Amino acid sequence: MRRKHFKTTLVITTYNWPKALEQSVRSALAQTVLPDEIIIADDGSGEETRLLVERLREDSHVPMVHLWQEDDGFRLATIRNKAIAAAKGDYIIQVDGDVIMPVHFVSDHLELAERGCFVCGSRVKLNPATSEKLLAGGIYRLRVWDMPPSFMLNSLRSRLLRKFMATRYGRKIDHLRGCNMAYWKADMIAVNGYNEALTSWGHEDAELAYRLTNAGVRKKALKMGGCVYHLYHKEASRDNEHTHFEAIERVKSERLQRCDDGISKYL
């Protein structure tokens, strides 16, 4: 693909799962088009993760930053804001540290990068057996039959269909996954980034998507390429999920663009 005339930062969030993080970062380093920078956004992991990042940095052909914050509960929105503020790239691709990126992941995202838009990608949820094989290290190539039937289509890649579906698929604003998103840093600053008042699991990405949309930033869907392979793990508690739904409803009803507790404190 033709290289875009802007810098790209890949943000990988993590918390105390170094085996998964290693596979995720190594998949980032194997991209056909490398990002200009990788930021490991660490929500309070221990020493094992710090040592891993130091080792991975030696193998990286692009700058790799380990951005760590103290472990003080689930603060995903906070560490993402800190990473976005620190990013040197104009365009930010965001994933979680428990996903594997296929080799054309960054390239596929850059195809859809457009001013005034944010992009939502897809994922393939892997089963426990396949996840264990990947976590064991070495070379294990994912095959179509490693994927649950309901996710097989997400693994397909077609440039023609990618362009066709970009504005036609997943038009519902909160139809997205925070483990595979991309956006312009300037747009995130304009809406004050992630809402750090959301301190429970889930839907912080949906709340952000509604504010971006209210601010005039259009949503695009990345299908037929740019998916991620999500390693199996037990789901987090959803005990306080209702508080995040309430925040989303407020953003929708009041047409809010900015949150009060966001990225501005790090700029």
Side-chain angles (χ1 to χ4, degrees):
M1 66 165 287
R2 187 171 60 185
R3 183 66 174 174
K4 303 283 185 176
H5 298 293
F6 53 80
K7 290 187 176 180
T8 304
T9 296
L10 176 65
V11 172
I12 305 176
T13 56
T14 191
Y15 174 71
N16 272 336
W17 198 6
K19 279 189 175 182
L21 178 63
E22 178 166 11
Q23 297 306 315
S24 184
V25 173
R26 292 205 180 280
S27 72
L29 298 179
Q31 293 296 300
T32 55
V33 175
L34 290 170
D36 296 289
E37 172 189 47
I38 297 173
I39 296 180
I40 310 299
D42 189 343
D43 189 18
S45 300
E47 180 72 359
E48 187 177 354
T49 295
R50 185 187 69 80
L51 293 173
L52 169 66
V53 176
E54 285 187 3
R55 179 160 50 86
L56 290 169
R57 191 182 285 126
E58 295 177 358
D59 296 333
S60 179
H61 296 293
V62 298
M64 185 180 298
V65 177
H66 185 196
L67 193 63
W68 182 90
Q69 68 182 9
E70 185 178 357
D71 187 356
D72 189 22
F74 185 85
R75 295 193 294 155
L76 180 61
T78 299
I79 196 60
R80 280 180 175 162
N81 278 344
K82 290 177 179 178
I84 295 164
K88 294 180 180 178
D90 308 294
Y91 195 66
I92 296 170
I93 302 174
Q94 170 189 299
V95 299
D96 288 345
D98 57 5
V99 304
I100 309 296
M101 291 160 270
V103 295
H104 298 292
F105 174 78
V106 171
S107 174
D108 290 347
H109 259 288
L110 293 181
E111 276 186 20
L112 260 63
E114 179 184 353
R115 297 284 180 179
C117 297
F118 68 101
V119 175
C120 305
S122 300
R123 67 171 177 172
V124 172
K125 293 179 73 174
L126 300 176
N127 60 41
T130 300
S131 298
E132 284 302 315
K133 290 176 182 176
L134 288 167
L135 290 169
I139 298 175
Y140 180 80
R141 300 192 184 281
L142 284 167
R143 302 156 301 184
V144 173
W145 51 87
D146 287 324
M147 305 166 199
S150 59
F151 287 96
M152 285 181 179
L153 284 177
N154 282 353
S155 67
L156 301 180
R157 187 168 180 263
S158 164
R159 187 174 188 181
L160 181 63
L161 289 175
R162 244 190 332 274
K163 290 185 176 182
F164 178 79
M165 299 179 74
T167 56
R168 294 173 175 83
Y169 180 86
R171 294 185 180 181
K172 187 179 178 184
I173 294 171
D174 59 354
H175 182 83
L176 77 169
R177 299 287 181 184
C179 64
N180 188 356
M181 287 181 65
Y183 39 76
W184 296 94
K185 180 174 178 176
D187 290 337
M188 291 294 281
I189 292 173
V191 300
N192 207 20
Y194 279 93
N195 184 353
E196 295 185 19
L198 305 181
T199 57
S200 301
W201 176 90
H203 312 295
E204 72 288 328
D205 43 13
E207 193 265 0
L208 168 66
Y210 277 110
R211 284 189 286 110
L212 284 168
T213 302
N214 291 343
V217 185
R218 295 183 296 117
K219 176 191 170 187
K220 294 172 76 173
L222 177 52
K223 299 295 290 184
M224 293 293 162
C227 72
V228 294
Y229 298 98
H230 194 174
L231 295 165
Y232 173 82
H233 60 79
K234 292 182 179 179
E235 292 192 353
S237 170
R238 302 191 180 195
D239 289 347
N240 294 314
E241 191 176 25
H242 66 282
T243 62
H244 290 207
F245 286 136
E246 290 169 2
I248 291 171
E249 288 306 313
R250 180 169 176 256
V251 168
K252 291 165 64 176
S253 63
E254 299 181 24
R255 300 288 299 171
L256 298 178
Q257 298 180 16
R258 290 177 58 87
C259 60
D260 294 327
D261 188 7
I263 199 173
S264 58
K265 63 174 77 71
Y266 311 118
L267 299 173

